């Protein structure tokens, strides 16, 4: 299900919050372009945009975690790598089977829903780590 961005997803680090909103937009664009079956090149472009956006965003997060000596960095890196594995599988299936409602739903699950869970479960942890360090 398409969800609107909500401030309950904010983790309190302005640059990363801004990027999370952009990630959300990229996820919605991908979903909608898959459903718009006439626009094959739009799907390819939306997929490339999603991938590039995620790469840049993860780089920002990873640099931030390194800078603040986040102890669970390695685990977090594995989660980011897992995101790209699922995106690769989706892209593969889109090329083999072509766009469909089922693949659009899967795209939303892999991108939007993944991001929501990832923010709440993982990004919040490094934010708390950072904020605990910032006040002590
Ligand atoms: Fe993350």
């Amino acid at each position: 299900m398409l969800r609107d961005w909500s401030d309950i997803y904010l983790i309190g680090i302005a640059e990363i919050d801004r990027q999370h909103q952009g990630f959300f937009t990229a996820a919605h664009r991908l979903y909608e372009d898959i459903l718009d079956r006439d626009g094959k090149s739009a799907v390819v472009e939306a997929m490339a945009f999603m991938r590039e956006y995620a790469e840049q965003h993860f780089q920002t997060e990873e640099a931030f975690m390194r800078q603040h000596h986040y102890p669970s960095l390695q685990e977090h890196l594995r989660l980011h790598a897992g995101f790209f594995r699922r995106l690769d599988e989706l892209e593969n299936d889109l090329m083999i089977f072509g766009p469909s409602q089922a693949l659009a739903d899967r795209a939303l699950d892999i991108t939007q829903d993944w991001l929501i869970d990832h923010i709440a479960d993982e990004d919040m942890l490094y934010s708390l780590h950072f904020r605990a360090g910032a006040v002590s």
Side-chain angles (χ1 to χ4, degrees):
M1 185 175 71
L2 275 177
R3 291 177 197 278
D4 289 331
W5 170 265
S6 160
D7 285 351
I8 61 166
Y9 306 135
L10 293 173
I11 67 167
I13 301 166
E15 185 185 10
I16 291 173
D17 284 330
R18 217 172 21 249
Q19 290 183 358
H20 281 156
Q21 289 183 55
F23 199 119
F24 225 76
T25 305
H28 288 191
R29 175 177 157 188
L30 180 61
Y31 175 79
E32 275 155 13
D33 284 351
I34 293 173
L35 283 184
D36 177 16
R37 316 239 172 129
D38 297 330
K40 265 207 164 169
S41 64
V43 176
V44 172
E45 275 170 37
M47 181 62 83
F49 183 79
M50 180 77 246
R51 191 179 289 280
E52 210 166 294
Y53 199 92
E55 267 165 17
Q56 284 179 9
H57 168 59
F58 292 165
Q59 272 173 25
T60 302
E61 280 195 347
E62 289 163 15
F64 183 85
M65 287 186 272
R66 282 200 175 87
Q67 190 186 339
H68 296 283
H69 309 289
Y70 182 54
S72 306
L73 172 68
Q74 290 308 320
E75 198 186 318
H76 203 118
L77 295 184
R78 274 195 291 280
L79 296 169
H80 287 173
F83 172 85
F84 284 121
R85 272 198 304 278
R86 293 190 70 196
L87 204 62
D88 287 345
E89 286 166 13
L90 173 70
E91 190 165 13
N92 213 34
D93 286 353
L94 276 167
M95 293 205 325
I96 296 170
F97 302 111
S100 64
Q101 178 71 53
L103 284 178
D105 289 340
R106 206 168 104 210
L108 207 57
D109 178 53
I110 289 171
T111 57
Q112 174 201 265
D113 295 342
W114 179 88
L115 181 66
I116 291 171
D117 289 345
H118 183 77
I119 289 173
D121 297 341
E122 307 297 334
D123 293 346
M124 205 55 97
L125 288 178
Y126 74 69
S127 174
L128 288 171
H129 171 80
F130 161 67
R131 280 184 281 172
V135 291
S136 63

